[in-house]
Amino acid sequence: MENLGLFFALLGAALSAGLAGSGSAIGVGIAGRAASGVVTQEPNMFSKVLVLQLLPGTQGIYGLLIAFITLTQIGIMGGDPNISLAKGLLYFAACLPMAIGGLISAIAQGQCSVAAIGLVAKRPDQFGKAMIFPAMVETYAILALLVSILSIFGIVNVPF
Amino acid sequence: MSKVPMKRVFICGLRKDRKRMLETLQRTGVVEISVEKPEDDYLETMDVIPQKAAFDKNANLAEAAINVLDEYAPDTEGGFLKSLEGPKDMDLDTYYAESVNSGAYMEAVSRILALQKQIAEDKAAIPKCETRIESLKPWMNFDLPLDFQGTKDAAAFVGSLPKQVSLEEIYQGFAEFAPSVDNIDASVISTSDEMTCIFAVCLKQDAEAVENALKQMNFAKAQLCSMVPREQVAELEQEIRDANADIEKCAEEIRGFANMREKIKFAADFFTMRADKYEVLSHLEQTRKTFFINGFVPSRYAGELEKKITENFDAVVEITEPAETDDVPVALSNGVLSDPMETVVESYSLPGKGEIDPSRIVACFYYIFFGMMLSDAGYGLLLCLGCGYVLLKVKNLKPGMKKMMKLFFYSGISTIFWGLMFGSFFGDAVNVIATTFLHRPDIKMTPLWFEPVSEPMRLLVFAFGFGIVHIFTGLFIKLYQLLKAGQVKDAIYDVVFWIMFVGGAIVYALTMPMITGMLNLSFTLGSTVATASAVIAIVGAIGVVLTGGRESKNWIKRLMKGAYSAYGVTSYLSDILSYSRLLALGLATGVIAQVFNKMGSMLGATWYGLLIFLAVFIVGHILNLGINVLGSYVHTNRLQFVEFFGKFYDGGGRPFEPFTENTKYYKVKEDK
């Protein structure tokens, strides 16, 4: 039981990478389906719709980022992996914004990308605007990432 | 610089010069011709739609032929870089010499398209033959034609029964369904799980009874084929061979046209230009002897244009200032660094009436923000090298592509700068390589400023700082625009009050120890500042509440609306918080780069460790570079479009679309 702290920290890292990654997979997946549809008709739109398809992919990377920072901080990636239960729970909590925010925002962003791909298919000159709509959704993933990062870096200074 | 000043141009020429003058205008490419319906009956327009349609068709055919050529005889020269190139220059003499031949080039085009059609037909015929062969397979051992009906006295039945049936079962069937018939000879030709092919012979007088019996057994006649199956199959196989040979022959002939590619490209351009010319022609107002052109021309070309027209034609050219009510088209012209920003501004919207061209101010922030988000000297270097190589190597890049390349080149320089400031070169690659392979963990890149990973709060404060500067720049531009338009009241109500409100609030926040402590600031402003900023903020807030709803007459309604607009201060808070992405994306780049370095160095300083390191390093960093360049580009744009443009810029300008050579391959130059 003395490793329970480590377990919770690891659970946080796992959820952050896993949930945010799943969200991105769903988002990129649905956007990819729409993109394939466009490319069947207009093969030269490939690069434009690819960019739009990739937009919901960032949450997965942010999730990986949080997971990696957590793993480094708790000493799994070399070092002494021994932390108190309280600290473990703190890491777990710190990972949650990225896990939940990443999962849901990536799905929403994917749906938004689908619509943006539809827009570009009809009006290729409006690519700049089409890119902005999914980027709006990403804001909340970035805010979640920020809270997670600041929390994890803050935990080091917690005394117990 | 700014928006290009435009002049109105009016040309009155003789009808006989019409086409020649349009060609000159097209090659000069500086006049946008207005499309207006004639105002009185005296003026008329000419119906040239059929001619235009014919030219369009030719242009499309030529394009199709080029695609066919590209498919059968790909143009291997140049490769990727060549695909970035814009149209080539062509001088006027060559153009005239070549245009005479356009008819001959179109013959090549129609031949190529005919060949391609032939190939398509052959290709369609092959599967048909193959299906036939497949359906004849069960009959291969049968040496009569399949439509064999019998002889003078005997009737024959050729066909199949469903499922696998044995000869005994067939005779049992006959015994059951045609008991009166004695002389039946049946044989099984072939059998499979799905069907059994049989041949049955009987006397002519029993034919009807036998046929009925066969029907009861679900007999299906073989499909008609007047030949012996084996011969038929041989013939079909020969047909396939012929089709394949024909395809190869046609393809060979198409490949023979490869040296015509450039000529056909010329034809495509030639007909596109003519179609465009006829499009304009169909809108020209004309009388019996004269015609009129109305349009816009950038001021700096106006004199040159007037000279060119009056020298070459008997025509009157009138250049005037556009009227206040004119819908003047917008073109942008900028200096070296802000030139690439035009693509950013254009993808939002061109400046509308009374708005300045924001490219230059956008440039001030764009490169800084992009650099902070990517923030890795190694990645910046790659970006610079890549874009610099393309810029140097490909001389006539497509204009839009050139701007993009420049945009990323300058952004790359900024990225190198921020990478050095934050001590990041492919993440912590310097330290990882030194530690793993040289056993010198002391070697590392020292940041010129500080390391964001160890002091994220510090960078966050700077990100917010940049955000506040950015947002206030936007507000001041709005102030400038309103003052320039003479709307002093609006300027005070909509901008000055807001600047007081938000600015005062921000300064007041800095006087609170709670805020400064949270942001790790080393100072807290004194109480005098606190009082002063609070007063300013409150005056601003009261001003906003009183004037925010000033379009309503009713005072109560007005105050309600004002209070609601004051609630908009929360949007300033979220705008400023939005700049936290400068930190978040910067950290994301750096930390993911570190992840790859760490993964690569896990096997230590062995030879296979080195190989793995190289592989992980190359693949990982390319991946990280790609995704983060995309992210930085998108989010820098977003900060400009939403947070910045939201404060002062509506856009809505109509782009300047001069009557020009809208060609893909060649650009004919007016002057040699």
Side-chain angles (χ1 to χ4, degrees):
Chain A
M1 290 301 276
E2 68 269 27
N3 281 334
L4 211 52
L6 192 62
F7 166 75
F8 274 114
L10 204 55
L11 182 62
L15 283 181
S16 151
L19 289 185
S22 310
S24 277
I26 297 175
V28 174
I30 55 175
R33 275 179 257 161
S36 311
V38 172
V39 173
T40 32
Q41 291 286 320
E42 302 267 344
N44 50 3
M45 297 281 282
F46 174 72
S47 57
K48 279 183 179 168
V49 292
L50 182 70
V51 167
L52 292 173
Q53 190 207 348
L54 278 180
L55 288 177
T58 36
Q59 279 85 346
I61 294 178
Y62 299 155
L64 174 77
L65 174 72
I66 291 301
F68 183 77
I69 301 179
T70 310
L71 293 182
T72 320
Q73 295 269 345
I74 60 179
I76 290 259
M77 308 275 288
D80 177 27
N82 191 13
I83 53 172
S84 65
L85 176 58
K87 260 199 174 161
L89 285 170
L90 284 177
Y91 277 116
F92 177 68
C95 287
L96 285 185
M98 193 63 248
I100 301 168
L103 172 67
I104 295 174
S105 74
I107 298 173
Q109 199 178 0
Q111 286 157 347
C112 194
S113 280
V114 170
I117 288 169
L119 194 166
V120 170
K122 291 198 185 100
R123 305 275 307 266
D125 51 320
Q126 298 300 314
F127 178 62
K129 284 168 200 157
M131 209 166 58
I132 291 304
F133 297 129
M136 291 304 226
V137 183
E138 176 134 344
T139 306
Y140 305 99
I142 292 178
L143 295 182
L145 169 70
L146 201 68
V147 171
S148 284
I149 287 188
L150 294 179
S151 312
I152 291 171
F153 283 134
I155 291 172
V156 184
N157 306 324
V158 175
F160 45 82
Chain B
M1 246 58 99
S2 54
K3 291 203 276 191
V4 176
M6 291 283 170
K7 290 260 202 264
R8 227 181 146 96
V9 58
F10 174 76
I11 302 172
C12 173
L14 295 177
R15 199 160 162 169
K16 66 177 166 64
D17 293 335
R18 208 172 43 170
K19 289 187 187 169
R20 218 155 49 82
M21 190 185 294
L22 279 183
E23 276 169 28
T24 310
L25 288 178
Q26 189 172 29
R27 282 192 291 271
T28 323
V30 294
V31 182
E32 179 181 288
I33 296 177
S34 309
V35 177
E36 282 158 17
K37 280 257 168 275
E39 280 163 14
D40 49 54
D41 300 337
Y42 189 61
L43 297 170
E44 55 186 19
T45 54
M46 209 170 63
D47 181 25
V48 287
I49 300 301
Q51 288 96 316
K52 179 185 179 307
F55 292 138
D56 271 334
K57 189 173 157 239
N58 275 349
N60 288 339
L61 288 178
E63 279 297 331
I66 293 169
N67 285 339
V68 174
L69 270 185
D70 286 345
E71 188 186 334
Y72 287 96
D75 192 3
T76 42
E77 265 173 75
F80 170 69
L81 285 182
K82 196 161 184 194
S83 67
L84 302 176
E85 270 180 18
K88 280 187 218 133
D89 286 348
M90 177 182 253
D91 63 46
L92 206 49
D93 291 338
T94 329
Y95 169 74
Y96 283 132
E98 291 283 338
S99 57
V100 180
N101 298 331
S102 60
Y105 301 155
M106 283 314 286
E107 273 166 30
V109 166
S110 39
R111 181 71 192 139
I112 291 173
L113 292 177
L115 288 168
Q116 190 223 11
K117 196 162 162 243
Q118 181 66 38
I119 291 179
E121 279 168 9
D122 286 339
K123 278 191 176 156
I126 293 174
K128 265 191 217 154
C129 292
E130 280 168 349
T131 333
R132 278 305 301 278
I133 292 176
E134 200 54 43
S135 68
L136 285 171
K137 277 254 168 78
W139 298 101
M140 283 303 270
N141 297 326
F142 188 60
D143 37 20
L144 283 171
L146 288 184
D147 62 350
F148 182 66
Q149 300 280 341
T151 57
K152 195 149 67 75
D153 298 320
F157 298 93
V158 186
S160 58
L161 295 174
K163 304 257 164 56
Q164 197 164 11
V165 190
S166 69
L167 201 56
E168 286 79 41
E169 283 169 314
I170 293 170
Y171 277 116
Q172 273 168 24
F174 281 131
E176 186 180 336
F177 298 119
S180 57
V181 185
D182 298 326
N183 295 319
I184 302 177
D185 179 60
S187 56
V188 172
I189 311 292
S190 72
T191 175
S192 69
D193 287 347
E194 287 86 40
M195 62 175 206
T196 306
C197 297
I198 61 161
F199 174 62
V201 190
C202 65
L203 290 175
K204 208 130 209 181
Q205 68 246 29
D206 297 330
E208 210 167 312
V210 171
E211 193 170 357
N212 274 331
L214 283 168
K215 258 188 198 146
Q216 302 275 348
M217 291 188 273
N218 292 322
F219 175 80
K221 270 200 172 158
Q223 50 177 306
L224 281 185
C225 163
S226 54
M227 289 168 77
V228 176
R230 197 188 310 276
E231 285 166 17
Q232 175 83 42
V233 167
E235 195 178 292
L236 286 169
E237 276 168 353
Q238 184 58 40
E239 256 174 56
I240 292 179
R241 272 193 296 276
D242 287 350
N244 276 327
D246 197 35
I247 289 174
E248 191 40 50
K249 207 180 97 215
C250 291
E252 193 51 49
E253 195 177 338
I254 290 179
R255 277 191 283 274
F257 279 108
N259 57 355
M260 291 284 283
R261 189 194 310 269
E262 294 305 311
K263 306 288 183 193
I264 294 170
K265 283 181 176 175
F266 171 80
D269 278 354
F270 176 73
F271 286 110
T272 311
M273 279 193 272
R274 295 197 73 178
D276 286 351
K277 189 174 83 184
Y278 273 76
E279 167 73 29
V280 171
L281 203 57
S282 71
H283 293 298
L284 280 195
E285 303 174 346
Q286 38 199 335
T287 63
R288 211 150 50 80
K289 286 273 162 60
T290 57
F291 71 95
F292 306 101
I293 294 174
N294 243 317
F296 293 96
V297 58
S299 301
R300 66 187 135 129
Y301 298 123
E304 204 182 311
L305 177 80
E306 186 173 359
K307 209 173 118 216
K308 187 175 275 172
I309 298 287
T310 44
E311 266 175 15
N312 292 320
F313 305 96
D314 294 325
V316 179
V317 180
E318 219 179 78
I319 309 259
T320 50
E321 282 299 324
E324 200 48 43
T325 49
D326 278 343
D327 179 19
V328 184
V330 181
L332 304 179
S333 161
N334 280 287
V336 182
L337 275 175
S338 36
D339 174 57
M341 290 305 132
E342 288 171 13
T343 57
V344 178
V345 174
E346 272 161 23
S347 72
Y348 185 78
S349 185
L350 284 165
K353 228 181 192 121
E355 285 182 328
I356 59 156
D357 169 16
S359 304
R360 206 180 232 185
I361 305 148
V362 169
C364 298
F365 293 98
Y366 198 95
Y367 298 122
I368 296 177
F369 289 166
F370 190 101
M372 280 182 86
M373 289 191 202
L374 197 54
S375 70
D376 187 286
Y379 293 172
L381 198 63
L382 284 183
L383 210 53
C384 276
L385 288 178
C387 294
Y389 177 76
V390 173
L391 280 170
L392 273 181
K393 202 81 188 168
V394 188
K395 283 287 176 263
N396 59 342
L397 271 176
K398 292 173 191 159
M401 186 57 75
K402 188 163 187 175
K403 281 183 185 169
M404 279 314 256
M405 287 291 157
K406 277 162 125 184
L407 177 98
F408 284 116
F409 181 77
Y410 297 134
S411 299
I413 294 177
S414 162
T415 308
I416 296 178
F417 169 77
W418 284 107
L420 294 176
M421 291 296 265
F422 297 145
S424 176
F425 184 81
F426 292 107
D428 54 356
V430 177
N431 181 249
V432 168
I433 292 171
T435 313
T436 318
F437 298 106
L438 308 172
H439 305 289
R440 290 280 303 278
D442 52 312
I443 300 179
K444 58 167 89 169
M445 252 181 89
T446 29
L448 297 177
W449 194 16
F450 68 91
E451 215 174 313
V453 181
S454 45
E455 294 175 82
M457 277 316 278
R458 192 167 161 195
L459 186 55
L460 188 62
V461 172
F462 278 102
F464 288 158
F466 275 122
I468 292 168
V469 174
H470 200 208
I471 288 172
F472 273 83
T473 311
L475 281 172
F476 278 111
I477 297 172
K478 184 166 186 189
L479 185 66
Y480 168 78
Q481 283 182 168
L482 286 173
L483 287 178
K484 206 176 149 203
Q487 294 164 291
V488 181
K489 273 187 187 167
D490 289 328
I492 293 173
Y493 298 159
D494 286 342
V495 186
V496 176
F497 282 150
W498 273 108
I499 291 179
M500 287 169 73
F501 188 11
V502 179
I506 290 171
V507 176
Y508 184 72
L510 293 180
T511 62
M512 293 194 288
M514 189 190 88
I515 301 281
T516 49
M518 199 165 86
L519 296 176
N520 274 334
L521 293 180
S522 54
F523 61 89
T524 305
L525 297 172
S527 59
T528 346
V529 182
T531 325
S533 59
V535 169
I536 291 174
I538 289 167
V539 169
I542 293 173
V544 169
V545 172
L546 289 180
T547 62
R550 63 185 178 282
E551 70 278 4
S552 294
K553 286 274 175 278
N554 185 330
W555 262 100
I556 311 261
K557 218 176 179 182
R558 202 160 155 177
L559 281 180
M560 300 272 274
K561 274 196 178 170
Y564 179 70
S565 79
Y567 179 69
V569 76
T570 52
S571 80
Y572 281 86
L573 182 68
S574 65
D575 282 352
I576 294 172
L577 285 181
S578 176
Y579 286 84
S580 62
R581 72 188 73 227
L582 292 178
L583 161 71
L585 289 173
L587 276 185
T589 321
V591 175
I592 292 167
Q594 288 179 21
V595 174
F596 285 122
N597 289 338
K598 188 149 208 160
M599 271 163 59
S601 64
M602 271 172 176
L603 287 178
T606 48
W607 66 267
Y608 52 88
L610 184 67
L611 281 183
I612 294 285
F613 180 79
L614 282 177
V616 172
F617 189 85
I618 292 170
V619 173
H621 284 292
I622 287 176
L623 203 72
N624 195 22
L625 175 67
I627 202 115
N628 277 295
V629 166
L630 174 64
S632 304
Y633 175 67
V634 169
H635 287 284
T636 312
N637 275 3
R638 182 225 137 101
L639 285 180
Q640 306 295 343
F641 290 174
V642 181
E643 274 75 17
F644 189 52
F645 283 175
K647 299 289 167 290
F648 69 97
Y649 188 73
D650 290 323
R654 187 168 65 83
F656 176 63
E657 282 166 349
F659 173 46
T660 184
E661 300 168 8
N662 216 345
T663 52
K664 265 167 96 175
Y665 310 104
Y666 291 102
K667 199 135 227 148
V668 182
K669 289 278 158 198
E670 177 72 359
D671 305 308
K672 273 162 267 176

